[in-house]
Amino acid sequence: MTSLETRPFSASSSWNTPVSSNATFTKLGWPASTGYNYSVAWDSYSPSVYVASASDPLVQVTYPPGWGYPGGTVSVHMPAAANGAAGTDGELIVIDGDIAYNFWQFNRTSNTTASAASFGSENIVTGDGWGTKSPFLSAGITAAGASQLGGLLVKAETDDGVIDHALQLAVDFSLAKPGAVGQAISSDGSNASGIVQEGQLLAIPPGTPMPAGLSPLGQQVFKAMQTYGAYVIDVAGGTTNIRAQANAYDDATMTALWHDMGNITPLLQGVSNNSGSGSTGGTGGTVTDPPPVITNPPPVTTQPTTDTTKPTVQWVAANGPGVVNGTGTVKAGDTVRLTLKFSEAVDVSGTAILSLNDKGTAKYVSGTGTDTLQFDYKVAAGENTADLAISGYDLSGVKDKAGNAVDLNGAPTLPAGTLVVDTSTSTGTTTPKDTTAPTVQWIAATGAGITNGTGTVKAGDTVRLSVNFNEGVTVNGTPTLSLNTGGTAKYVGGAGTSTLQFDYVVKAGEKASDLAVAGYNLKGVTDLAGNAANAAGAPLQPAGVLAVGGSAAKVQWIAATGTELSNGTGTVKAGNTVRLSVNFNDVMTVSGTPTLSLNSGGTAKYVGGAGTSTLQFDYKVQAGEKASDLEVARYNLGGVKDRAGNAVDIAGAPHQPAGVLAVGATTASDPTAPKVQWIAASGSGISDGSGTVKAGDTVWLSVNFKDAMTVNGAPSLSLSSGGTAKYVSGSGTNTLQFKYVVGAGESAPDLEVSGYDLKGVTDRAGKSVNIAGAPHQPAGVLTIAADASAGTASVNPLAKTVASAASDLAPPATVTSGTSAQTASQQWFGGHGGSVTDAAFGSGRTLGYSGSQDGGASADPSQGSAMSKLALLNQYAASSFATPAPTSFGAMTQAWLNSSTQTLAKPRG
């Protein structure tokens, strides 16, 4: 890909494959267009795109673990202008060579340094633009794990007049069902009543006529969605969007496309039987450097609470023959379909009727179980009105899933547009002149982080305020809303409908416990008859509680990295540098020089991260500084504030990074040899390093080093199963690949490397590998099962339960207790030596006993109590055994040994 004019990814990628002629289409229950619920993301919440050259600065981008990447630093050539797009997501795509790097919350801290909250990468020549499920690795930062370059509108491409690939679609969160399908590797859909899933292919069926009046770019989008379709890859708040390159296009083009999308998006239907499209196959882009599995602390959970929130009516829309966007004229015998959109899914049992202002009635026809109900109104003779409206709701039989009845307080009554009902048969009659001023019926707040009008926003966030009138209105001028925060919401769209849209960008220092309108400035807003809007008695408070400014920022976690550390564990000495990453629950600004006081007596100084949620501090170990496990003794965060200007609240802040980081006292010498950083196992039947394989199966072992390595010779790995993994590829990279074909008779409860033979493996300086301290255990639990012909049952290597025959039990020698002689097995099992049947641990496991029990046994008393010295292949600690208190081996011990609930658990330490 030498320029942005060329579509990215391989020709076989599903992004670049037309919808099959054999495909079938299923209609979707798209909400009616309101003028703002279908749009295009462009100047914010969409990525900037840059193509780098070898002469551009090489930028070191730090990032935390996530999306299958281990965390650390990635080096990318970037033009000087490259930075995150506007909005809190700060997306960025940089194409360096053949690799597209996709960053989230990207912040350029200098010409050669930057930070990002997460990232993914994909080869734009050989990759398919999607992440991989095994190993789990994203291609970009979308919720589906796809690259944001896939399906993006790029100006250099659309300037040529045609879009020759599928488009990406971020749907309103209320429309997204849980679960990932197709090539999506993840999902953040959460509404069981949604209509689509992330990874799903949608398209406009062939033969569908193009809507009239589309802009030139809108026509390209329509044709692309009909030829290639669109993939659902994200959710959005309040709108369903396609995405366009943020650092291109102009406002007029994007505004026209925004209006086009209200006519284009609802034409999309679900695609199935799409043979030959590649939409459900594929394994994702080429993966190098598979990372180890990183286990994060479990999230804090709370007990579920009973849902007592009543559903509300959000909007009403009218359609039918002769009705376009809610506007038209109907006569006696015509049928009008009225659609009611609720704040959540509802069920209908019993009565559901709408009384209308022309004395007619609309009756419920469908929609139960969803958040949208359909009512049909058949116009009867004598029913007339200048603009059809709901005069009364009877929804006594409509309730949400928790049984809450509908709250009709403030429910809208007027559909968008002007729908005249005229059943007069006489001629020469005229409609009386409209002299009634339009009035505000309700206001609603939406945006990222806002649910049903409730949430918290901070400086830099955008709140969309929707103002609904009792009839359609036009706009001449620039109406605004003055807010109780001191800020202003500016008009952005909606003219010609009954709902105008205003955007409020929160500025630093603006605060309110609950956002409200302080004043309406509606000059230039009139109804279709020219009557000016009347704001007298207009509502000031949107539904919900929307806090502006929020509470003080908090520290969420800290992490330690460095050349001597692996997953936060290692030993550093004087002269070494440790990077401490401090993560907050918001994007932070920095003025001054914050520091961290450490329990070693040292200090970590701030080095970067302003404008992101993670700040970086460097600690250079000085002579004489020591700690058995490094931790933060005190946070000195003066000058660190969130976007709303709140200082950090360090109450309850964590002090201990993950891992065990020992700080020594002697001067550290420069590393003299490369070291193994981690090993990972993958292959058929293996997920995140865990699974069971048998003779004939293949296991791939990836061995990772800090630097790129060269290979001369035939390095290999000796394995605990008795087998050998042989080198196959990776020379010139920092990850070498070894292939292990399981041989007959080879077995291991959890595969590990028992020996490294890395002769001929050197770094770029020619230094051989130092395997001292090299890891031996891949992440996960990988069982090498014995041959099926041996009849060995599969055994869970993490837990052995006292449950079967004791043929492998090795009792101690005969001991003497008091005046009677008993065998050790008799004494050990409370006098039931030869008959124990409930104390074996699977084939090949031997339970050994060392030590004595009270009662005068002749074994060495220093060996301790019997139960604390049980050993199983040296893999089980005394703490694994739930034993009775030390006493003579009698009924209590016997009861424990005969209990099927006692489990020996392999320590994870």
Side-chain angles (χ1 to χ4, degrees), residues 549-846:
S551 57
K554 292 251 185 187
V555 178
Q556 299 195 117
W557 50 257
I558 51 177
T561 55
T563 56
E564 294 76 23
L565 308 182
S566 176
N567 291 335
T569 296
T571 300
V572 293
K573 300 179 180 180
N576 292 147
T577 297
V578 177
R579 168 66 57 87
L580 291 170
S581 301
V582 180
N583 179 268
F584 300 82
N585 61 346
D586 197 4
V587 172
M588 309 303 293
T589 61
V590 177
S591 60
T593 309
T595 62
L596 308 175
S597 298
L598 306 173
N599 64 337
S600 64
T603 300
K605 299 179 180 179
Y606 168 77
V607 293
T612 75
S613 60
T614 304
L615 302 186
Q616 312 296 333
F617 296 77
D618 277 357
Y619 164 47
K620 188 170 184 180
V621 183
Q622 305 297 318
E625 294 175 352
K626 291 185 179 181
S628 59
D629 191 4
L630 186 68
E631 66 180 49
V632 176
R634 185 175 69 252
Y635 287 90
N636 310 301
L637 301 180
V640 178
K641 298 181 179 181
D642 63 17
R643 293 170 295 169
N646 300 305
V648 179
D649 178 7
I650 61 172
H655 289 262
Q656 192 85 52
V660 178
L661 175 52
V663 180
T666 59
T667 302
S669 60
D670 292 334
T672 59
K675 289 193 173 186
V676 178
Q677 296 196 119
W678 51 258
I679 50 177
S682 60
S684 178
I686 303 171
S687 177
D688 292 337
S690 292
T692 300
V693 294
K694 298 182 180 180
D697 290 341
T698 297
V699 178
W700 291 93
L701 291 169
S702 303
V703 180
N704 179 270
F705 302 81
K706 179 186 176 185
D707 297 315
M709 310 299 290
T710 58
V711 178
N712 292 292
S716 63
L717 309 175
S718 299
L719 306 175
S720 58
S721 64
T724 301
K726 299 179 181 180
Y727 167 78
V728 291
S729 66
S731 182
T733 74
N734 64 344
T735 304
L736 303 186
Q737 308 295 335
F738 294 77
K739 181 179 180 181
Y740 165 45
V741 179
V742 182
E746 295 174 356
S747 65
D750 191 2
L751 185 68
E752 65 181 51
V753 175
S754 56
Y756 287 88
D757 180 4
L758 301 180
K759 287 181 291 188
V761 179
T762 60
D763 65 11
R764 287 171 291 187
K767 298 174 183 177
S768 298
V769 179
N770 178 4
I771 62 171
H776 289 261
Q777 191 83 52
V781 178
L782 180 54
T783 302
I784 310 299
D787 292 347
S789 60
T792 303
S794 175
V795 178
N796 181 353
L798 285 180
K800 310 302 177 192
T801 302
V802 180
S804 59
S807 58
D808 288 329
L809 191 62
T814 301
V815 297
T816 301
S817 176
T819 59
S820 61
Q822 292 180 312
T823 66
S825 61
Q826 288 172 329
Q827 184 183 34
W828 200 40
F829 293 107
H832 295 78
S835 62
V836 175
T837 60
D838 291 326
F841 303 86
S843 175
R845 272 68 174 181
T846 299

Side-chain angles (χ1 to χ4, degrees), residues 499-525:
T499 304
L500 301 186
Q501 311 300 328
F502 296 77
D503 276 358
Y504 165 45
V505 180
V506 184
K507 293 183 171 55
E510 295 177 351
K511 293 185 179 182
S513 59
D514 191 4
L515 184 68
V517 175
Y520 287 89
N521 312 301
L522 301 180
K523 184 177 181 180
V525 178

Side-chain angles (χ1 to χ4, degrees), residues 67 130-131 141-146 180 183-188 198-199 232-234:
W67 283 102
W130 297 91
I141 64 170
T142 66
Q183 290 177 265
I185 65 173
S186 182
S187 166
D188 59 356
E198 280 160 321
V232 181
I233 48 79
D234 252 332

